[in-house]
Amino acid sequence: MASYPPEKAGQPGSGTLPYRTTGGSVSDDEAVSDANPGDTAGVLIERLQAWKHAVGYLENYISATEKVHKAHAKEYEHVLKTVSHPLKEGHHFEQSLGGVAGLFENIRANTQGIANSHLETEKNLKGSVLPILGRLHSEIKSKSKELNSGAGKGSKAVASARNTTQKHIELLGQHTGTFDATGGRVEPHNDPYVIQRGIQHRLHKQILEENNNRQDLIAVQENFRTFEAHVIQTIQQAMSVFLQIVGGQADRQKSIYSDMIGTAQRIPLDFEWTHFVHRNGNLMLDPNLPHRTLSNITYPNQGHPSTQPLISGTLERKSRGIGALTGYKTGYYAVTPAGYLHQFDDDDNFRKEPTPELSLYLPDCTIGAVSGEMFNIKGKDVSKGKVTGALSMSHEFAFKAHTPADAEKWWGVIKEASGTGGVGGIISSPIETRNVSGQSVPPAYEEKSAPPLQTQGLPQGQGQPSAGPQSGGTHSAGPHSAISPTGGHEVLHGAGQQNPGTGGYSKDV
């Protein structure tokens, strides 16, 4: 069977305590021992100081924790201020419970609860835990005073008695030497016998003091075991109350935050939107309605006569300058009631801004006659504005329709828009002037042609060009020829309106 060495005294688990033994070269049988009873009392007093400081550390810890909770309460008041005001644009949220507005009410109430819990914890720490440690601190101080007034004084009395005994022992040694040196002649009070008896008296008194002090110290030592157990038990009680208070606050704070999260998570995903649509149904769009189309939209003056072209469609226009080599270029044209002939790339109003590339103000233009599919207009491009248009020069623009009938139709509308349509007049063609021999001559315009023919007093049909059938004073839109009295040249004239006052034809401006 295995054997184990015996446990040493003073080691953990030995069941015995280590005690100090007398050391040094002087045995316990000598009159004055070198064992200082003040050492035992001193170390016990120092131990009480250690316990007092340990309890003081705990008091400081609890006090600091109490102040932290007080500060937390103030900080949570600041946190509460961040949500204390009503929600901005709060009418967008459902005000009943179960929505975002209810969530913020829950946050406000719970945040105030957290602040209150910290205040309550601060008061409980100050009123429950600190008093326990304060009383223990006072007990340790009282124990220290008791030790100083009891065993401490006894140790001092032992030291005083030892000093007195030691002096008489030294005096005995001095006078015994004198006795030997003088052959026994000494003073009565210096008789070694008398001194010896005095030493016995003082030594007896010293031993009484030492034994009494020893018993006191032993009693104090034995009491220290019980007292320290009381100290530790009191500390455990204080820490248990501390845990109950701060742990309870932590649990309450955790449950408060759990309530906040639970309130947020219980909000149905479509709760706010459903109530918002219900409250603002008159402002919401119906997804079942069809898309808007331009054909279904109306606006003021949409059908005003000035917005409808007199004629519109595609024509070909001969390019000018370097572009003349490319021939005719197709464009989209429109004659408006305002008297303009506008040119566009196409009739698309949506792909880009329909800004005219060419604009001719027809009342200021000279309208040539129709020749098959073609007709000419002489005038200024005013599409760039008044200033630029005023500085630009007049040009002759050659147009080509798809068919001669289309050319007649365009020409007639242009004549009407220029202010001379349907009124007889002699217009010099800016397009072509031919002589009877077939030789070409420079174009002749109205300002260079012969004076208007005089028709008064002449038979019907003499001296004036054939105007064709008229309807309501309006001349035919087709081209007509007349023989100019100057030089026998044949000049093509457009249809004009006869001036009843002079019997001639007005100039196409």
Side-chain angles (χ1 to χ4, degrees), residues 245-321:
I245 294 173
V246 297
Q249 190 277 331
D251 291 340
R252 287 195 302 274
Q253 185 165 333
K254 181 179 179 181
S255 64
I256 286 174
Y257 279 119
S258 298
D259 183 66
M260 290 185 193
I261 300 302
T263 302
Q265 292 178 340
R266 285 192 296 271
I267 299 176
L269 299 183
D270 60 345
F271 180 85
E272 289 293 343
W273 178 251
T274 302
H275 286 81
F276 172 74
V277 172
H278 179 73
R279 292 192 306 271
N280 300 276
N282 59 325
L283 301 177
M284 296 292 100
L285 299 179
D286 186 356
N288 298 320
L289 292 178
H291 293 287
R292 299 181 71 199
T293 59
L294 187 61
S295 60
N296 296 330
I297 296 177
T298 59
Y299 46 87
N301 298 315
Q302 180 181 10
H304 192 276
S306 64
T307 64
Q308 308 302 317
L310 302 178
I311 188 172
S312 63
T314 57
L315 292 174
E316 296 182 17
R317 179 170 67 84
K318 189 173 184 180
S319 303
R320 297 184 293 107

Side-chain angles (χ1 to χ4, degrees), residues 205-259:
K205 184 178 180 180
Q206 171 192 327
I207 292 172
L208 289 177
E209 293 288 348
E210 288 178 344
N211 290 335
N212 291 335
N213 180 249
R214 182 174 180 276
Q215 291 300 320
D216 291 341
L217 290 177
I218 290 174
V220 170
Q221 284 182 183
E222 293 301 324
N223 182 261
F224 251 76
R225 180 196 296 270
T226 306
F227 181 74
E228 287 195 5
H230 167 70
V231 170
I232 294 177
Q233 186 179 17
T234 305
I235 291 176
Q236 291 173 343
Q237 178 189 357
M239 295 305 294
S240 177
V241 177
F242 174 75
L243 173 62
Q244 182 180 357
I245 294 173
V246 297
Q249 190 277 331
D251 291 340
R252 287 195 302 274
Q253 185 165 333
K254 181 179 179 181
S255 64
I256 286 174
Y257 279 119
S258 298
D259 183 66

Side-chain angles (χ1 to χ4, degrees), residues 74-237:
K74 293 182 179 179
E75 293 299 327
Y76 272 101
E77 291 291 343
H78 295 160
V79 174
L80 180 60
K81 288 182 180 179
T82 61
V83 292
S84 60
H85 299 290
L87 288 173
K88 294 182 178 180
E89 294 84 26
H91 59 278
H92 281 272
F93 300 102
E94 178 62 25
Q95 299 303 312
S96 62
L97 295 178
V100 173
L103 170 63
F104 278 94
E105 287 297 329
N106 178 271
I107 290 175
R108 294 185 189 101
N110 282 327
T111 304
Q112 184 65 60
I114 293 175
N116 293 339
S117 71
H118 282 290
L119 283 176
E120 182 181 354
T121 301
E122 178 251 339
K123 294 179 180 178
N124 289 335
L125 290 176
K126 185 184 294 184
S128 300
V129 181
L130 286 179
I132 296 175
L133 296 176
R135 288 192 297 269
L136 180 60
H137 199 144
S138 299
E139 289 179 20
I140 295 174
K141 289 176 67 175
S142 299
K143 190 70 174 179
S144 180
K145 290 181 179 179
E146 179 184 343
L147 185 58
N148 277 320
S149 61
K153 289 184 177 180
S155 298
K156 292 179 181 179
V158 170
S160 177
R162 286 179 176 179
N163 289 333
T164 303
T165 302
Q166 184 64 33
K167 289 179 181 179
H168 281 76
I169 291 174
E170 293 174 358
L171 184 62
L172 177 60
Q174 177 184 351
H175 289 286
T176 54
T178 303
F179 178 85
D180 292 336
T182 60
R185 296 184 62 86
V186 292
E187 294 294 332
H189 58 277
N190 292 329
D191 188 344
Y193 171 78
V194 176
I195 296 175
Q196 172 70 14
R197 291 191 65 178
I199 290 175
Q200 292 295 323
H201 172 74
R202 288 168 177 81
L203 188 59
H204 175 72
K205 184 178 180 180
Q206 171 192 327
I207 292 172
L208 289 177
E209 293 288 348
E210 288 178 344
N211 290 335
N212 291 335
N213 180 249
R214 182 174 180 276
Q215 291 300 320
D216 291 341
L217 290 177
I218 290 174
V220 170
Q221 284 182 183
E222 293 301 324
N223 182 261
F224 251 76
R225 180 196 296 270
T226 306
F227 181 74
E228 287 195 5
H230 167 70
V231 170
I232 294 177
Q233 186 179 17
T234 305
I235 291 176
Q236 291 173 343
Q237 178 189 357

Side-chain angles (χ1 to χ4, degrees), residues 308-317 329-336 341-349 354-359 399 402 410:
Q308 308 302 317
L310 302 178
I311 188 172
S312 63
T314 57
L315 292 174
E316 296 182 17
R317 179 170 67 84
K329 179 181 179 182
T330 302
Y332 185 82
Y333 293 83
V335 178
T336 66
L341 173 63
H342 295 299
Q343 174 191 338
F344 303 89
D345 280 343
D346 50 43
D347 62 343
D348 188 357
N349 293 331
T355 303
E357 296 183 357
L358 172 70
S359 294
F399 296 93
H402 296 293
W410 276 93

